[in-house]
Amino acid sequence: MARYNKIFAGPVSETLPQVQERLCAAAILPGTALIESGSSFAQAGAASNAKIYIAQDNYLAMKGVDDAWAANDRIIGMEMLDEQFFNVRVPTATNVTRGAALTTNASGKFVLATTGNRIVAFAEEAYNNTSGVDQLVRARVAKGNLASA
């Protein structure tokens, strides 16, 4: 069960983030990283250098953050803006500290960046994921979304 019930985390004074809607060939979990692939979305790969979007929860179908978008469905990808917070999916056994640099792994989940990795976001909270399942962790986009560790 997820720790949060929404992917976009605010601030409440901000309007909702800019979004793009595209088809996606594979099932996608909310809170994972997406990239553009032609006229579709694809799951971001390990340390992807493409523009990153965050898969939004499917609130239109009243689905939760742990309900995957179905393959070949039209999904919503949120553009990460500097002043906004997002709850991003980190895999189990990931120990995140506040301020930790995050990149993407092969399945579009957010993991700790190592030297030479592109930094996509910074953790806004500390969380040691020993729950046995992927969890959502509050994060903010890295300035310019193109930094390297």
Side-chain angles (χ1 to χ4, degrees):
M1 178 173 203
R3 299 172 52 234
Y4 296 110
N5 63 359
K6 288 288 178 198
I7 300 301
F8 176 66
V12 295
S13 60
E14 285 286 320
T15 56
L16 294 175
Q18 297 295 310
V19 299
Q20 301 283 330
E21 291 184 16
R22 291 192 170 70
L23 293 177
C24 193
I28 301 292
L29 277 169
T32 58
L34 303 170
I35 58 169
E36 293 177 280
S37 177
S39 62
S40 301
F41 275 134
Q43 196 78 66
S48 176
N49 285 325
K51 180 177 181 179
I52 299 289
Y53 296 83
I54 303 295
Q56 187 171 13
D57 47 295
N58 189 356
Y59 67 92
L60 297 171
M62 297 189 335
K63 302 270 178 110
V65 293
D66 289 329
D67 298 320
W69 293 83
N72 299 314
D73 206 355
R74 183 169 295 278
I75 68 172
I76 300 171
M78 297 181 289
E79 293 189 37
M80 299 174 72
L81 301 176
D82 291 340
E83 65 274 3
Q84 296 175 335
F85 296 102
F86 296 89
N87 295 320
V88 299
R89 196 163 295 274
V90 297
T92 189
T94 302
N95 186 9
V96 177
T97 58
R98 181 171 166 76
L102 303 173
T103 190
T104 54
N105 68 8
S107 59
K109 295 172 186 160
F110 288 79
V111 295
L112 299 173
T114 58
T115 302
N117 287 146
R118 174 185 178 203
I119 299 171
V120 176
F122 289 101
E124 284 291 321
E125 67 174 329
Y127 184 72
N128 187 6
N129 188 5
T130 58
S131 66
V133 296
D134 298 344
Q135 289 293 339
L136 297 173
V137 170
R138 182 81 31 100
R140 182 187 296 248
V141 66
K143 192 79 165 165
N145 203 0
L146 292 172
S148 293

